Amino acid sequence: VTTLEPLSFVTFVDRHRSALLKFAMVLTGDYRNSEDTVADVLGHAFEQWDRIAGVESPLAYVRKMITNQYLSTQRRNALWLRRRAQLASHDSSPDPSGDVDRREAMIEQLAQLPPRQRAVVVMRYYLDLSDVEIADHLGCRPATVRSHAAKALAALRVELANADQHHETGRR
Amino acid sequence: MATDQDIRDALNLLAERAPKTCPVPGDGSLGIARPVASRRPWGLIVAAAAIVLLVAGIVTYAVGGHSGSGNGPAAHSKGSRLTCASTPEQDTAADHDALGNRLAELGGTDIRITAMGAKIQADVRGLSSDLVQRVCATGRLDLRGVVAPPVPVSCRPQVGSPCSATSVPDAAKAGGFTVPVDDTGYQRLTSAQQDLITAALADFDCSTAAAGNQIVASYLVACVTGSAGPTGSNAVLLGPAIVGPTQIDKAIAVPPDAQQGMTEWAVAITLSDGGTARWARYTTAHHTGGDSNVAGVDQCGATGTPCADYVGVTVDGRVISVPVNIEAITGGTTQIAGNFTEVSAKALAASIQSGPLPVPLRAATMQSLP
């Protein structure tokens, strides 16, 4: 006998836990912080699950909750995290291939970005969202998203031509 | 100078370092909120790779699903030209937008729809032909309460001896009752009257089952194929649609999830506010009270599980599954299993998403484009 069931909280968590943790990790850049953020957000989501199960995309909704949680806690932790990133940058060991070093260097640079800029970068390059989708996610205008992205890319010293090209051809 | 690829690489490296699991409130029993930090279930690590693949698929849908790539084995660069014909012949222009939306929803590119009187032609790239040829289905999904237990169909239509000699309404007329539209109405009938319905169902011709948009009746006789019995089909009497196309806001195909005991593809539908309210009313009134260990619908009524606890999921007038309601469903999302393959689940989800075709079509020809 097959059964008819709502998208239960347990099913949602089992199905999306891994993606949510990865998203939180990429967003916060910190193992413990991502674990705590996802646990906190899932706790809130559990309390209002009846409503969330009915929204168009529960996954997008919960990701939005994670982003908000990150942005609000990051404001408080910004100074400490930036300092810690500087401390951490001293004890990385060299990598013979150079690839990992390159990625590590980028991870460190990403850690220096202000939280909203980082959120935009993560949504654009990790989730592959369009500027309009990112604007909806962050509750701001697409022009603001583009401005955050431009500042972030400048700070990361990413070749703008290359980045722009991606963005025009990337998605619908 | 760095490139945007460096950003992607760095973010993906970070993602690989994500915790594999985290404490979450609730477990199989739900309803009991637990302290957030009380549990660290590490058991999922082994399956992490599988989950990554699965989640990647879901994310593609959740963020739009139009990228064309990453949509699984259906992606090909070659083009297809599908021609569908209306039955009975009528102007197909009204189907133009819905067909285009379906192909776009499935991830097709270079879509061109041309309405040519009674026929309509769809050119598309990037989709497999078995996916494309399903887009002409009307795509009408209804959820209807079961009125009476399904009956094995014994009639085999032959030239000169058609089935449905006595239809359900004919049987009702003969027995002096109106066709019941819910299981309490059916229970009120005398056993002789119930036998008349059973006989009419056994004589039902499944090949003539109502299809497409003609399904407007307050009740529906539909066939469940692949069941036991002389013809492999059961006929079942269903009540009025609890939820129909106008109450469905969104539909997505959901991949199997072995962890959840979901071995096949499913289609998840999100209901509109009105649909959610109707569905909540029905499932609140008719459910097994949490018991998932109940007999199949064939035994409904007789075994103590009322027929109304079962819901017939019909697509274009055919029953794709008859699940049982376990509990009241007050959220707007419901997952439907129905022996789906990846192709059939995606095609159905895209069809529901675009809304049923105003003019019923059948796929006529299919050719590949260079």
Side-chain angles (χ1 to χ4, degrees):
Chain A
V1 186
T2 51
T3 58
L4 204 51
E5 290 170 273
L7 178 66
S8 76
F9 179 73
V10 169
T11 306
F12 174 83
V13 169
D14 276 347
R15 196 166 294 159
H16 297 300
R17 174 177 8 224
S18 166
L20 293 172
L21 284 165
K22 282 170 193 254
F23 175 63
M25 180 71 194
V26 171
L27 198 58
T28 63
D30 181 271
Y31 186 96
R32 180 48 56 87
N33 199 351
S34 60
E35 195 178 37
D36 289 350
T37 303
V38 172
D40 277 1
V41 163
L42 286 179
H44 293 308
F46 178 61
E47 285 162 15
Q48 34 180 324
W49 187 248
D50 279 354
R51 197 166 56 74
I52 296 176
V55 305
E56 192 176 295
S57 167
L59 176 62
Y61 190 94
V62 172
R63 260 198 319 238
K64 213 179 275 193
M65 290 172 76
I66 290 176
T67 310
N68 290 339
Q69 172 93 353
Y70 160 74
L71 290 175
S72 65
T73 55
Q74 211 62 10
R75 240 166 261 137
R76 292 197 292 271
N77 297 339
L79 187 62
W80 152 242
L81 284 170
R82 225 168 290 168
R83 239 182 233 152
R84 199 183 48 177
Q86 282 160 6
L87 292 176
S89 68
H90 293 297
D91 52 55
S92 53
S93 52
D95 162 59
S97 75
D99 282 357
V100 173
D101 263 354
R102 199 176 165 84
R103 287 186 289 176
E104 296 294 355
M106 179 57 78
I107 288 173
E108 275 170 35
Q109 280 183 280
L110 285 166
Q112 315 291 321
L113 292 179
R116 287 187 87 80
Q117 286 181 24
R118 182 181 175 116
V120 166
V121 167
V122 164
M123 283 178 219
R124 199 190 253 195
Y125 296 108
Y126 181 69
L127 293 184
D128 271 338
L129 299 184
S130 72
D131 287 348
V132 173
E133 288 166 320
I134 297 171
D136 174 60
H137 207 112
L138 291 177
C140 63
R141 289 177 303 122
T144 315
V145 171
R146 281 193 289 275
S147 146
H148 280 313
K151 283 181 195 155
L153 294 182
L156 297 171
R157 293 193 293 277
V158 167
E159 282 173 39
L160 284 176
N162 193 333
D164 284 349
Q165 190 192 0
H166 146 76
H167 209 62
E168 274 161 27
T169 57
R171 300 184 67 84
R172 77 198 150 95
Chain B
M1 273 302 212
T3 67
D4 56 345
Q5 190 56 45
D6 291 330
I7 302 181
R8 290 171 198 281
D9 291 346
L11 293 175
N12 287 329
L13 179 62
L14 261 183
E16 284 170 24
R17 296 178 182 166
K20 295 292 181 256
T21 183
C22 71
V24 294
D27 60 3
S29 63
L30 265 186
I32 303 167
R34 305 177 342 149
V36 165
S38 68
R39 180 173 166 237
R40 297 193 179 248
W42 293 98
L44 292 174
I45 295 175
V46 181
I51 294 174
V52 170
L53 291 174
L54 177 65
V55 167
I58 291 173
V59 169
T60 310
Y61 279 104
V63 301
H66 294 291
S67 61
S69 64
N71 262 358
H76 299 289
S77 58
K78 69 180 169 67
S80 312
R81 168 168 293 173
L82 172 71
T83 310
C84 298
S86 54
T87 43
E89 281 199 7
Q90 51 190 308
D91 187 22
T92 57
D95 291 340
H96 186 283
D97 291 352
L99 278 186
N101 288 341
R102 287 177 183 186
L103 292 168
E105 189 71 30
L106 290 167
T109 56
D110 300 338
I111 298 162
R112 185 162 304 162
I113 313 285
T114 320
M116 304 176 296
K119 289 187 175 173
I120 190 162
Q121 177 180 298
D123 291 350
V124 62
R125 292 194 176 275
L127 297 176
S128 69
S129 54
D130 50 345
L131 199 51
V132 173
Q133 66 187 4
R134 289 168 188 262
V135 299
C136 284
T138 302
R140 184 193 163 101
L141 183 134
D142 292 281
L143 304 178
R144 293 169 176 263
V146 173
V147 174
V151 175
V153 174
S154 52
C155 173
R156 294 170 200 272
Q158 283 169 356
V159 179
S161 72
C163 301
S164 303
T166 311
S167 67
V168 170
D170 287 346
K173 208 173 286 173
F177 60 94
T178 53
V179 178
V181 294
D182 55 32
D183 75 336
T184 44
Y186 179 76
Q187 293 302 333
R188 270 201 296 268
L189 300 180
T190 65
S191 62
Q193 289 171 328
Q194 291 182 352
D195 288 347
L196 285 171
I197 289 183
T198 304
L201 290 175
D203 195 37
F204 186 70
D205 181 355
C206 286
S207 67
T208 67
N213 275 354
Q214 290 126 31
I215 310 157
V216 288
S218 57
Y219 62 88
L220 175 74
V221 179
C223 286
V224 192
T225 48
S227 357
T231 58
S233 289
N234 283 0
V236 61
L237 180 58
L238 303 173
I242 311 157
V243 166
T246 52
Q247 279 95 34
I248 300 173
D249 272 356
K250 190 179 168 66
I252 58 165
V254 183
D257 186 343
Q259 206 113 38
Q260 283 297 295
M262 248 181 73
T263 53
E264 288 174 329
W265 281 76
V267 172
I269 56 172
T270 304
L271 304 179
S272 67
D273 289 350
T276 303
R278 289 167 65 100
W279 188 230
R281 261 201 306 280
Y282 189 89
T283 56
T284 302
H286 306 287
H287 62 79
T288 65
D291 184 4
S292 59
N293 190 23
V294 295
V297 65
D298 306 33
Q299 269 95 52
C300 76
T303 53
T305 307
C307 290
D309 286 2
Y310 297 83
V311 172
V313 181
T314 61
V315 172
D316 299 341
R318 281 168 215 285
V319 177
I320 59 165
S321 69
V322 192
V324 66
N325 268 324
I326 292 182
E327 55 185 339
I329 302 178
T330 52
T333 306
T334 294
Q335 205 155 296
I336 293 167
N339 296 319
F340 289 113
T341 61
E342 175 174 3
V343 166
S344 63
K346 285 181 174 175
L348 178 61
S351 300
I352 297 171
Q353 183 73 31
S354 75
L357 296 182
V359 176
L361 299 175
R362 60 182 170 76
T365 63
M366 179 82 183
Q367 62 188 95
S368 46
L369 298 174

